[in-house]
Amino acid sequence: MAEDRIHDDDLALADHGEGEVRPDDRVNDERHDQENRLKPSFVSAVHDALAARDKGAVYDLVEPLHAADIADLIELLEPRERAQLASTISDLMTGDVVAELNDYVREDLMDTLSAQAVAVIAEQLDTDDAVQLIEDLDEADQRAVMAELEPETRAAVSSALAYPEETAGRLMSRNFVAVPEHMSVGDLIDYLRENGDIEHDFFEVFVIDEGHHPVGTCALNWILTTPRSVRLTDLMKRDQTLIPVTMDQEEAALMFQKYALISAAVVDESGRLVGQMTVDDIVHIISEEAGEDALLLSGAGDGDINEPIREAYTARVRWLIANLGTAVIASSIIALFGAAIEQLVALAILMPIVASIGGNAGTQTMAVAVRAIATNQLTRSNTRRILWREFRVALLNGGTIAMLIGAATGILFTPMMGLVIGMAMIINIAIAGIAGVAVPVIFERLDQDPAVASSVFVTMITDSMGFFAFLGLAVAMGLATF
Amino acid sequence: MAEDRIHDDDLALADHGEGEVRPDDRVNDERHDQENRLKPSFVSAVHDALAARDKGAVYDLVEPLHAADIADLIELLEPRERAQLASTISDLMTGDVVAELNDYVREDLMDTLSAQAVAVIAEQLDTDDAVQLIEDLDEADQRAVMAELEPETRAAVSSALAYPEETAGRLMSRNFVAVPEHMSVGDLIDYLRENGDIEHDFFEVFVIDEGHHPVGTCALNWILTTPRSVRLTDLMKRDQTLIPVTMDQEEAALMFQKYALISAAVVDESGRLVGQMTVDDIVHIISEEAGEDALLLSGAGDGDINEPIREAYTARVRWLIANLGTAVIASSIIALFGAAIEQLVALAILMPIVASIGGNAGTQTMAVAVRAIATNQLTRSNTRRILWREFRVALLNGGTIAMLIGAATGILFTPMMGLVIGMAMIINIAIAGIAGVAVPVIFERLDQDPAVASSVFVTMITDSMGFFAFLGLAVAMGLATF
């Protein structure tokens, strides 16, 4: 890999002392608020310096920032200011900054750079980050950048790109430490001092057999607390969690979480060690995957504020059109009862309440079920128990809401109307409770992401059943005729 | 701490070889499906063995499982079977299993144990896990368990409990490695071999001054790849991210994520090193905090399928009552137009469509804004830009939906009705776009969690404005009279 790597700013810092940096100056200083966000006053100062084309002032402002804060700053600026900032502080635009950028912002910024400039940045990155940078480019740019890479990096990136997106093969780092079984702790330390690459993080050493299969793993703190003479095979943990190279990133993230891993060996189909995944990469995936349920449930697509407007529109309008379909179905149920509404306009006034609260109850249950499915807590083993649980919660909720709205309606309209809306409410909330579990579970069994599709169906059910139960009961109880 | 600690099953495994465990046997074996969940057939086998009171069979089934899988198994069983399983496999119920249990399930299980038994488990755990175990107990049980603890553990737990819940002080581990500045790499390794505690994980060594203030940090891989003679002050990174002991866990998690930390020093008010946080604890927080937005937005409270029914009911019904209030407000707007609806029942049929799609559009924008606020991407610096962005997306969405429903209504009802519903739809979706950003931003500025309170208000706005715009326009255009 390239010599000019500046990946490890940590060591650079140690080299020139950096005496002025107070260790705790990152929270609540002149640049950060107490939640560690860049202050608006700081962002405007950069904005003003950019507008005044005062390169010196811009540089002085940005230079003390951590790479992750420079990335935040770029995202907070107006899109048209971003390339200007990047060119003004080009020597601060390290691989670390680029790796921390939001995908959309990075893509835009890379589009303004030459293939050579992108390649220089890619060379600074760990393979996994370089792959992330390059996979987002369009095909022509990808080829151009690949041509500019050092042969070794190019080979690593190509081999990563050969795996499907969002798999361990794409995300793993090809820089790891693997040693043969016969080594002792002392041998290992001597080997690392001689050959170790301080610029790539590792948290455990993999012990491999002659066939390059991992047989065990040693955490670095075990090595440091053990006498030189102890053999690695006596120290290592044999029961490892191995990540197949084709495993989906979400599954890998769940393994890291479940088994509290810091790093893990990635193996190919024949069980040979080909890479490692480390928790710092996984943390982003865990946060994304856990956070995306709220977005998916609401049909907000990627839900990224940096997503181009056209893409946001396409993703969201599709969902609104699906919901328009379900709203029309619900309306057609109202239309069935048109004559009843003409006789008694109170029905039109009250019916949205039944549908709306049913929808809320359904959404609650669905959010719980989707989260439980995502965290592997709701499986075939306990589906029936959870259905029954949610049904009981729904009856309690339905009973409470029915009493409240029933009493109010009884007073403001007629007692019979109060009875009708109360009964309709219990029915709709109970149906919502069952649908809120059943719909996501069914989608999961059909191998569909329950967060994506469930809410259109649950809403359709609660809307339609809300109108049907209320208007139907009103007719059945003789409040109006059909 | 107690001698009988069995926390580190890794080393135990290494001791007795465990030759039969294939390293990759955790995914898709006879017990796990391809998504690493316990198979229903395995769970039923345990269930049947428990029912038959066949202790040997139960033990043989459970014994090969990883602690995290035993915890999963306990959660998947019926509540009444859990204590039975725990007592059948009591020697497998290590601290690791208990630490991995869902909070509610753990609490239930602890209630079935004596204070002494809980204390034995607490002694096996890292301080942070012991605290988590004890903080959930009611006060009398807490006192009883504390009395049974070793003095050293009791002191550590008491000092943790003195900090507010969900702060770094509660979550930090008091087991860390801190060394003085004058040490060399060789001195450090000798020190660790002599004094190091292999049972507690550490990923970096903190270098402290005489006043116990952290001055730098050395990752273990740097130590292992550096000659013995190098002084720690020449190797260490001075620019550390220090976590104040009172920092909220969510903030700490964002710091870990932003700066890609594996561990971090926790300091008290005077800047003295008092503990460390490690990423394996943070991973759970990141996942919880990111996942809870979907639950909070839907008003599902904790949203845990193990939450007692009474608590789930209380949390959710409060939300439904709030929504009942907003639904009643929306209904009162309909009531204003009662005369118009009596003249033209089509209004009653169509009005829920306008409200419903507006609600969906508002929810989409709100989910995006809440996520962006949670990840510190939406701050005062770019609020205006994001408001403008969402307004433009809303106009595109509104235009598309208005055309579709306007055309359909124009054909099925009257062209004028099509025009009215189209215009109402654009107005409501545009309002939804603005409210979807503005409401969470306002709550955030008022120091309220935007995920908790926003959706009641956004729904109220889109429901009320949907009915008002549609019915109001219908009257204004002369379709019906007021």
Side-chain angles (χ1 to χ4, degrees):
Chain A
M1 285 203 169
E3 311 303 84
D4 57 350
R5 191 187 296 129
I6 37 177
H7 176 63
D8 212 326
D9 57 347
D10 316 325
L11 291 172
L13 272 174
D15 284 349
H16 50 75
E18 198 73 28
E20 286 164 276
V21 176
R22 293 192 317 282
D24 54 347
D25 70 349
R26 248 183 234 140
V27 176
N28 215 0
D29 58 9
E30 74 276 18
R31 290 181 294 269
H32 293 86
D33 66 14
Q34 75 285 3
E35 296 190 15
N36 197 32
R37 296 174 300 203
L38 292 172
K39 285 185 181 164
S41 57
F42 176 76
V43 178
S44 338
V46 175
H47 169 88
D48 294 344
L50 282 171
R53 306 197 170 274
D54 184 347
K55 292 194 176 191
V58 172
Y59 197 92
D60 289 345
L61 283 164
V62 178
E63 200 269 329
L65 294 181
H66 185 283
D69 285 312
I70 298 181
D72 281 357
L73 172 64
I74 293 173
E75 291 174 22
L76 288 174
L77 290 173
E78 302 283 327
R80 59 185 164 68
E81 296 173 319
R82 289 172 186 160
Q84 194 196 341
L85 176 70
S87 66
T88 308
I89 56 157
S90 56
D91 65 314
L92 301 175
M93 286 295 295
T94 60
D96 280 347
V97 174
V98 174
E100 288 290 332
L101 278 178
N102 175 279
D103 286 0
Y104 294 107
V105 176
R106 183 173 52 229
E107 227 179 302
D108 270 0
L109 209 56
M110 292 301 113
D111 283 347
T112 68
L113 298 179
S114 68
Q116 211 190 346
V118 176
V120 169
I121 293 169
E123 292 285 354
Q124 296 170 24
L125 297 169
D126 280 339
T127 336
D128 53 331
D129 291 326
V131 168
Q132 230 196 330
L133 179 67
I134 291 169
E135 72 184 0
D136 289 340
L137 301 174
D138 60 43
E139 233 174 280
D141 289 344
Q142 233 179 60
R143 264 197 306 275
V145 173
M146 293 288 275
E148 296 287 337
L149 292 176
E150 306 279 323
E152 203 190 324
T153 317
R154 183 164 54 230
V157 171
S158 305
S159 99
L161 288 175
Y163 295 107
E165 267 187 76
E166 310 210 329
T167 59
R170 281 274 177 113
L171 289 162
M172 70 189 181
S173 158
R174 278 150 186 83
N175 309 103
F176 56 86
V177 177
V179 295
E181 295 170 273
H182 59 75
M183 273 195 176
S184 69
V185 167
D187 297 337
L188 172 63
I189 293 179
D190 294 341
Y191 168 83
L192 286 173
R193 287 203 185 123
E194 201 112 324
N195 304 289
D197 174 2
I198 200 168
E199 297 191 353
H200 289 288
D201 289 340
F202 61 97
F203 310 107
E204 60 185 332
V205 167
F206 302 109
V207 181
I208 50 174
D209 65 14
E210 311 84 49
H212 223 78
H213 303 100
V215 293
T217 167
C218 291
L220 301 190
N221 62 314
W222 304 350
I223 294 165
L224 281 166
T225 46
T226 303
R228 281 185 70 90
S229 58
V230 173
R231 284 166 49 92
L232 293 183
T233 43
D234 293 329
L235 176 65
M236 72 188 186
K237 176 173 93 166
R238 287 172 197 273
D239 180 31
Q240 295 181 75
T241 303
L242 302 180
I243 309 280
V245 77
T246 52
M247 184 179 263
D248 183 81
Q249 63 174 24
E250 189 172 0
E251 285 307 309
L254 280 174
M255 302 278 269
F256 266 74
Q257 220 179 318
K258 180 167 177 182
Y259 299 117
L261 306 177
I262 302 295
S263 63
V266 180
V267 292
D268 66 13
E269 279 94 75
S270 54
R272 291 160 50 95
L273 179 64
V274 290
Q276 73 169 348
M277 293 183 84
T278 52
V279 71
D280 48 321
D281 297 319
I282 290 290
V283 156
H284 288 280
I285 298 168
I286 290 173
S287 158
E288 261 172 49
E289 300 277 352
E292 82 182 5
D293 278 358
L295 299 167
L296 291 175
L297 281 171
S298 71
D302 257 7
D304 189 314
I305 55 170
N306 296 297
E307 193 180 15
I309 285 190
R310 191 180 301 266
E311 286 178 37
Y313 161 64
T314 323
R316 295 196 210 165
V317 82
R318 215 178 294 149
W319 178 266
L320 294 179
I321 291 172
N323 274 292
L324 185 59
T326 70
V328 167
I329 293 172
S331 282
S332 67
I333 288 177
I334 303 174
L336 286 180
F337 294 93
I341 291 170
E342 252 172 345
Q343 296 157 44
L344 194 61
V345 76
L347 296 178
I349 295 169
L350 293 170
M351 68 185 182
I353 299 177
V354 182
S356 162
I357 305 302
N360 284 318
T363 305
Q364 287 180 333
T365 310
M366 181 176 59
V368 172
V370 164
R371 183 81 192 125
I373 291 171
T375 52
N376 283 348
Q377 288 191 82
L378 174 54
T379 75
R380 277 170 197 262
S381 305
N382 60 352
T383 301
R384 201 175 303 177
R385 170 154 55 88
I386 303 304
L387 261 173
W388 173 231
R389 170 187 194 275
E390 289 299 323
F391 183 66
R392 282 183 298 163
V393 176
L395 287 184
L396 289 170
N397 281 335
T400 309
I401 297 293
M403 280 196 318
L404 288 174
I405 189 68
T409 304
I411 294 164
L412 290 172
F413 295 83
T414 63
M416 183 55 98
M417 187 68 97
L419 185 66
V420 165
I421 197 168
M423 285 169 60
M425 200 65 101
I426 292 181
I427 292 171
N428 202 25
I429 292 178
I431 289 172
I434 293 172
V437 179
V439 171
V441 163
I442 290 168
F443 276 113
E444 208 271 327
R445 297 208 179 164
L446 297 174
D447 271 331
Q448 302 298 311
D449 184 340
V452 174
S454 295
S455 83
V456 170
F457 285 84
V458 171
T459 310
M460 184 177 71
I461 293 168
T462 55
D463 271 3
S464 304
M465 289 312 298
F467 294 133
F468 184 74
F470 177 64
L471 298 173
L473 278 171
V475 169
M477 306 289 260
L479 285 176
T481 54
F482 193 58
Chain B
M1 284 204 169
E3 311 303 84
D4 58 348
R5 191 187 296 128
I6 37 176
H7 176 64
D8 212 327
D9 59 345
D10 317 324
L11 291 171
L13 271 174
D15 283 351
H16 51 75
E18 197 72 27
E20 285 165 275
V21 176
R22 291 193 317 282
D24 54 347
D25 70 349
R26 247 182 234 141
V27 176
N28 214 359
D29 59 8
E30 73 276 19
R31 291 182 293 271
H32 293 86
D33 66 14
Q34 75 285 3
E35 297 191 15
N36 197 33
R37 296 174 301 205
L38 292 172
K39 284 185 183 165
S41 56
F42 176 77
V43 178
S44 341
V46 175
H47 169 88
D48 294 345
L50 282 170
R53 304 195 173 275
D54 183 346
K55 292 195 175 192
V58 172
Y59 197 91
D60 289 345
L61 282 164
V62 178
E63 198 268 330
L65 293 181
H66 185 281
D69 284 312
I70 298 180
D72 281 357
L73 172 64
I74 293 173
E75 292 174 22
L76 288 174
L77 289 173
E78 301 282 330
R80 58 187 163 69
E81 294 172 320
R82 289 172 186 160
Q84 194 195 342
L85 176 69
S87 67
T88 310
I89 57 159
S90 57
D91 65 315
L92 301 175
M93 286 295 294
T94 59
D96 281 347
V97 174
V98 174
E100 287 291 330
L101 277 178
N102 175 280
D103 285 0
Y104 293 108
V105 176
R106 182 174 52 230
E107 225 178 303
D108 270 0
L109 208 56
M110 291 303 112
D111 282 347
T112 68
L113 297 179
S114 69
Q116 210 189 348
V118 175
V120 168
I121 292 170
E123 291 285 353
Q124 296 169 26
L125 296 170
D126 281 339
T127 336
D128 54 330
D129 290 327
V131 168
Q132 230 197 330
L133 179 67
I134 292 169
E135 72 183 359
D136 289 340
L137 301 174
D138 59 43
E139 232 174 281
D141 289 344
Q142 234 179 58
R143 265 196 305 273
V145 172
M146 293 288 275
E148 296 286 338
L149 291 176
E150 307 279 325
E152 202 191 325
T153 318
R154 183 164 53 230
V157 171
S158 305
S159 99
L161 288 176
Y163 294 107
E165 266 187 78
E166 310 211 328
T167 58
R170 282 275 175 109
L171 289 162
M172 72 189 180
S173 158
R174 278 153 184 80
N175 309 104
F176 56 87
V177 177
V179 295
E181 293 170 273
H182 60 75
M183 273 195 175
S184 68
V185 167
D187 295 338
L188 172 63
I189 294 179
D190 294 342
Y191 168 83
L192 287 173
R193 288 206 185 120
E194 203 111 322
N195 304 291
D197 174 2
I198 200 167
E199 297 190 354
H200 290 289
D201 289 339
F202 60 98
F203 310 108
E204 58 185 333
V205 168
F206 302 110
V207 181
I208 50 174
D209 64 15
E210 311 84 52
H212 224 77
H213 303 100
V215 292
T217 167
C218 290
L220 301 190
N221 62 315
W222 304 349
I223 295 164
L224 281 167
T225 47
T226 302
R228 281 183 70 90
S229 58
V230 173
R231 284 165 51 91
L232 292 184
T233 43
D234 293 328
L235 177 64
M236 71 188 186
K237 177 173 92 165
R238 287 171 196 273
D239 181 31
Q240 294 180 76
T241 303
L242 302 180
I243 309 280
V245 76
T246 53
M247 184 180 263
D248 183 81
Q249 64 175 24
E250 189 173 0
E251 285 307 309
L254 279 175
M255 302 278 268
F256 266 75
Q257 220 179 317
K258 179 167 176 181
Y259 300 118
L261 306 176
I262 302 297
S263 63
V266 180
V267 291
D268 66 13
E269 280 95 73
S270 54
R272 290 160 51 97
L273 179 65
V274 291
Q276 72 168 349
M277 295 184 82
T278 52
V279 70
D280 48 321
D281 297 319
I282 290 290
V283 156
H284 289 279
I285 297 167
I286 290 174
S287 159
E288 261 173 48
E289 300 277 353
E292 82 181 5
D293 279 357
L295 300 166
L296 292 175
L297 281 171
S298 71
D302 257 8
D304 189 313
I305 55 171
N306 296 297
E307 193 180 16
I309 285 188
R310 189 179 303 266
E311 286 178 36
Y313 160 65
T314 322
R316 294 196 211 167
V317 82
R318 215 177 298 149
W319 179 265
L320 293 178
I321 291 172
N323 274 291
L324 185 59
T326 71
V328 167
I329 292 171
S331 282
S332 67
I333 288 177
I334 302 174
L336 287 180
F337 294 94
I341 291 170
E342 252 172 347
Q343 295 158 44
L344 194 61
V345 76
L347 296 178
I349 295 170
L350 293 170
M351 67 186 183
I353 298 178
V354 182
S356 160
I357 305 301
N360 285 316
T363 305
Q364 287 180 333
T365 309
M366 182 176 58
V368 172
V370 165
R371 183 81 190 124
I373 290 170
T375 53
N376 283 350
Q377 288 191 82
L378 174 54
T379 77
R380 277 169 196 262
S381 304
N382 59 353
T383 301
R384 201 175 303 177
R385 170 153 55 89
I386 302 304
L387 261 173
W388 173 231
R389 171 187 193 273
E390 289 299 322
F391 184 65
R392 283 182 297 163
V393 176
L395 287 185
L396 289 170
N397 281 335
T400 309
I401 297 294
M403 279 197 317
L404 288 173
I405 190 69
T409 305
I411 294 164
L412 290 171
F413 295 83
T414 62
M416 184 55 99
M417 187 67 98
L419 185 67
V420 165
I421 197 170
M423 284 169 60
M425 200 65 101
I426 291 181
I427 291 170
N428 202 26
I429 293 178
I431 289 171
I434 293 172
V437 179
V439 171
V441 164
I442 289 168
F443 277 114
E444 209 271 327
R445 297 207 179 164
L446 297 173
D447 272 330
Q448 301 298 311
D449 185 340
V452 173
S454 295
S455 83
V456 171
F457 285 84
V458 171
T459 310
M460 183 178 71
I461 292 169
T462 55
D463 271 3
S464 304
M465 290 312 299
F467 293 133
F468 184 73
F470 177 63
L471 297 173
L473 278 172
V475 170
M477 307 289 261
L479 285 175
T481 54
F482 193 59

